[in-house]
Amino acid sequence: KMVVCALGYEAMAADRGGWPAGYTSVAANIGLTKGMSSSVRGDIAVLIYNALITPVMEQTSYGSDTRYEVLDGAGNKEYKTILTKRDIYIATGIVGDTFNKDEIKFEVTRDSKDGEFEASEKEITFLMGNSDIANYTHQEVEVYVAEDDGEYTVLAVKAAKKTETFTLVSDDVKDINGNKITYYVDSLNSSRTKTLTIDENATIEYNKVALAANETLETKIEGKDDVEIVFIENDGDSDYDVVVMTEYVSAVVETVNASKDKITLGSRTVTFDFDDNNKTYIFLDDEGNELTLADFEEDDVVAYVSDTANPKDADYLKIIKLSNSVIIGTVDSVQNNEQIVTINDEEYKVIDTAIWNQISTPGTEGTFYVGLTGKIV
């Protein structure tokens, strides 16, 4: 009853017999109960969600000719919901790249019912606000955005039902044959494999840069053990439409001078130009929370992504501060064929041969640094 009244349908419910049958009848008729089952908590969530996207009813004439209309956009009527009454709109589309840490590109793929966002507009720009929309790059989503003076700020994001993502690390790839990729199901147990298919017209990028005509997924990961590969499926078939490769470089922070906008990652010193709008710098912890340069300290373990080979020249640089990344212990055992060591009863892969040669003897004691993908770096 409360939701029916909030949407303006109380008069219709009264005409249908009032409480309770009139309200349940109206609720079913306007789609409020669609998807409800027998779970009280779940049904409340479904009911409220349906209410957000249901056109409201408003009184349009008074006196002897009292009339109510459903504002569903039909004919010349306005389209109005609980959301649009508060200048909140829903857009469906593909999340693009960030302009900077505050803005993100968005390509509209389906018109919103109220006409606020039209597919013909193609690419528009949203303010990210406090949302996690940057985590949905290249995915089709529904976004809830608030309008204020012509600017739209993202409030919430919901992945489209047909959208699917799958993530691999490059050293879990067993074989690439055309658009077929065979991978190990368990990186620590290389006996079971599966195969996935990439769409022939898939968009493929590496560290924010689209592949050149002479490059392939295979050539980009060849000889590299720590590249994250995210496969994204947006159109509901079994072939992945987008492949995003990200090479995370693991490093230990040697020095930080926040007052001079400098950090040294391993042997590479980066001086940030925060006044350059063409450069994007992102500082995060491993839970996705935003940090500042001053939050980094000497001996922190980080993973960084750069659109250039040397981060000091980057236009895009993301640095992730890793927690629980330092282990003090003893190598209990080793698996030479897989470059795996057991430390404090946990198994870890080792990122390269040079480090493997230092720690591949059982009984080796030390401080071990674990990178973003769980390998000793």
Side-chain angles (χ1 to χ4, degrees):
K1 179 181 177 180
M2 288 189 290
V3 176
V4 168
C5 291
L7 291 171
Y9 289 85
E10 187 170 12
M12 181 184 287
D15 285 344
R16 296 190 180 189
W19 174 261
Y23 289 93
T24 56
S25 171
V26 169
N29 182 250
I30 64 177
L32 283 180
T33 56
K34 182 180 179 181
M36 292 174 65
S37 56
S38 58
S39 164
V40 175
R41 291 180 182 177
D43 282 350
I44 291 173
V46 171
L47 180 69
I48 298 301
Y49 172 75
N50 289 339
L52 296 179
I53 58 176
T54 298
V56 300
M57 174 180 274
E58 289 187 352
Q59 186 173 352
T60 56
S61 64
Y62 299 84
S64 60
D65 186 27
T66 299
R67 184 179 304 168
Y68 293 85
E69 288 188 325
V70 178
L71 301 182
D72 57 3
N76 295 320
K77 289 186 292 186
E78 184 180 0
Y79 183 90
K80 188 182 288 188
T81 66
I82 286 178
L83 291 178
T84 64
K85 288 170 72 172
R86 288 155 179 78
D87 294 321
I88 297 172
Y89 303 91
I90 303 174
T92 301
I94 305 293
V95 180
D97 288 324
T98 53
F99 286 159
N100 52 48
K101 66 183 180 65
D102 299 317
E103 298 177 340
I104 197 158
K105 299 175 186 176
F106 191 88
E107 182 181 346
V108 179
T109 56
R110 188 167 70 246
D111 294 351
S112 61
K113 282 187 178 180
D114 62 356
E116 190 71 24
F117 301 98
E118 299 179 1
S120 59
E121 291 182 47
K122 294 299 182 183
E123 197 169 78
I124 54 181
T125 302
F126 290 148
L127 299 175
M128 291 191 286
N130 295 321
S131 73
D132 62 346
I133 190 171
N135 296 332
Y136 292 84
T137 302
H138 298 298
Q139 296 181 44
E140 184 170 74
V141 298
E142 279 189 355
V143 293
Y144 294 74
V145 293
E147 189 271 336
D148 183 23
D149 271 345
E151 288 189 329
Y152 293 94
T153 301
V154 178
L155 303 177
V157 186
K158 181 168 74 82
K161 288 184 178 179
K162 60 187 177 182
T163 298
E164 177 185 343
T165 63
F166 179 69
T167 303
L168 278 179
V169 179
S170 54
D171 57 352
D172 291 339
V173 175
K174 179 183 180 183
D175 179 61
I176 300 177
N177 185 5
N179 63 340
K180 304 284 187 182
I181 297 180
T182 302
Y183 61 94
Y184 296 112
V185 175
D186 183 350
S187 61
L188 297 180
N189 179 7
S190 57
S191 58
R192 293 194 303 128
T193 62
K194 288 186 177 181
T195 299
L196 60 81
T197 305
I198 302 172
D199 188 273
E200 292 182 356
N201 299 314
T203 299
I204 303 177
E205 69 171 35
Y206 191 92
N207 281 6
K208 296 290 183 180
V209 180
L211 295 193
N214 63 337
E215 294 178 318
T216 65
L217 186 152
E218 186 173 15
T219 60
K220 293 301 290 186
I221 68 172
E222 187 175 3
K224 297 179 179 177
D225 295 331
D226 220 27
V227 179
E228 180 188 76
I229 312 172
V230 179
F231 301 88
I232 301 171
E233 162 58 29
N234 285 320
D235 59 15
D237 63 17
S238 58
D239 298 345
Y240 289 93
D241 307 305
V242 182
V243 182
V244 179
M245 294 181 283
T246 306
E247 182 178 4
Y248 288 99
V249 179
S250 298
V252 177
V253 175
E254 298 294 332
T255 61
V256 183
N257 191 331
S259 63
K260 294 187 177 180
D261 300 333
K262 286 186 178 183
I263 191 170
T264 300
L265 306 171
S267 60
R268 292 174 166 174
T269 298
V270 179
T271 301
F272 299 97
D273 185 356
F274 293 114
D275 294 325
D276 188 341
N277 292 328
N278 294 316
K279 293 185 180 293
T280 300
Y281 303 122
I282 300 172
F283 306 117
L284 302 171
D285 64 19
D286 49 12
E287 294 184 352
N289 300 309
E290 188 175 344
L291 303 178
T292 67
L293 186 58
D295 293 316
F296 291 84
E297 300 176 351
E298 182 180 330
D299 291 333
D300 280 344
V301 182
V302 300
Y304 68 84
V305 180
S306 169
D307 62 356
T308 59
N310 194 328
K312 75 180 183 64
D313 302 318
D315 289 329
Y316 175 90
L317 179 61
K318 177 167 73 172
I319 304 177
I320 303 171
K321 181 177 180 177
L322 305 181
S323 59
N324 302 318
S325 55
V326 180
I327 301 168
I328 298 174
T330 302
V331 175
D332 302 317
S333 62
V334 301
Q335 299 177 41
N336 288 292
N337 58 329
E338 298 289 344
Q339 285 197 183
I340 295 173
V341 296
T342 301
I343 302 172
N344 299 343
D345 296 324
E346 293 287 337
E347 289 186 343
Y348 302 92
K349 274 200 168 187
V350 180
I351 196 166
D352 62 32
T353 303
I355 297 174
W356 173 256
N357 290 337
Q358 294 180 52
I359 67 173
S360 59
T361 302
T364 301
E365 296 180 350
T367 301
F368 305 89
Y369 298 89
V370 179
L372 185 65
T373 56
K375 299 174 185 174
I376 293 179
V377 300

